[in-house]
Amino acid sequence: MSDTLLEEFVDKKMLKALETLLGACSDEEAAAACVQFSAVFGGGEPFARIADKSSDGEAKLISSFNKNLVLLIQKTWIEKSDEELKAQVLYQLEEFCGNLSSGRYVQSYREFFSIVDDVVYLMFGAQAKLRDFPEYALRIDPEFGIFWWYMKSLPREAQWTQMKSRIAVLLGMYFLANY
């Protein structure tokens, strides 16, 4: 996806915040950049409360995310051939939420990609696998397109700390819990 197209939907300050998150060496810098970028998803102060480890915001987000994603998965019309994938994603979601609740953030980070990829496939079918899907998603639903761009910007095999992994996953969850 071209930066020019993206800049029609996301201002340069937010692009810089994501760049800072991805390159941050300290957990504090990553958290601050993530909270700033969360404004793209309607976050800001509400997301800052979730990101604060001393609040119960994370537990509430996990619950809301789980309920909303289960509903989304169950309500998505699928081909008969995708029923096994649907059941697999529901199982993965349960495992993911358990790992996240137990503070296994690095493991949860890896699991999150699999869940999101499968849910997006269930929602959009083979279109989600095409090279031009990010641009397509941005044009048909800018909020979702920005989320997809965020997910595609994150490194799949990051060697991040528990806290940086946590904040990156929580931000993706924040979008999906409110989608």
Side-chain angles (χ1 to χ4, degrees):
M1 173 178 350
S2 75
D3 286 347
T4 307
L5 175 61
L6 197 52
E7 287 176 5
E8 290 179 32
F9 300 95
V10 181
D11 70 34
K12 289 182 186 200
K13 190 167 92 173
M14 294 299 121
L15 295 173
K16 179 68 176 153
L18 181 58
E19 185 180 312
T20 300
L21 166 65
L22 296 174
C25 293
S26 76
D27 290 340
E28 294 77 20
E29 182 183 21
C34 203
V35 168
Q36 181 183 5
F37 185 77
S38 73
V40 168
F41 301 142
E45 186 57 37
F47 184 73
R49 286 191 299 276
I50 292 167
D52 181 0
K53 213 49 181 133
S54 65
S55 77
D56 66 345
E58 181 178 330
K60 289 178 181 177
L61 177 63
I62 292 170
S63 176
S64 178
F65 168 78
N66 187 41
K67 288 175 188 171
N68 287 354
L69 217 55
V70 165
L71 185 62
L72 179 66
I73 294 165
Q74 290 177 339
K75 297 294 181 186
T76 299
W77 182 87
I78 59 166
E79 298 288 337
K80 186 104 172 122
S81 60
D82 290 329
E83 286 180 5
E84 189 175 311
L85 177 61
K86 188 177 190 176
Q88 177 186 328
V89 174
L90 289 169
Y91 174 77
Q92 288 175 318
L93 180 61
E94 184 178 320
E95 292 290 309
F96 168 78
C97 289
N99 284 331
L100 202 58
S101 295
S102 299
R104 294 189 291 268
Y105 300 115
V106 171
Q107 181 177 349
S108 299
Y109 178 87
R110 288 185 225 113
E111 294 170 340
F112 190 57
F113 285 103
S114 177
I115 291 168
V116 169
D117 287 346
D118 288 345
V119 168
V120 170
Y121 174 79
L122 290 172
M123 290 171 59
F124 292 96
Q127 177 75 29
K129 304 282 186 194
L130 297 178
R131 200 172 91 103
D132 67 343
F133 181 70
E135 185 174 326
Y136 169 80
L138 191 61
R139 291 189 186 281
I140 64 162
D141 183 347
E143 287 181 345
F144 181 81
I146 293 167
F147 164 75
W148 191 244
W149 165 72
Y150 169 73
M151 290 300 300
K152 291 300 182 183
S153 297
L154 295 174
R156 295 274 174 145
E157 297 297 323
Q159 299 299 314
W160 288 350
T161 65
Q162 289 282 350
M163 296 318 299
K164 188 170 178 179
S165 298
R166 173 185 177 266
I167 197 79
V169 168
L170 292 179
L171 181 55
M173 291 172 58
Y174 183 81
F175 173 80
L176 290 171
N178 295 298
Y179 185 62

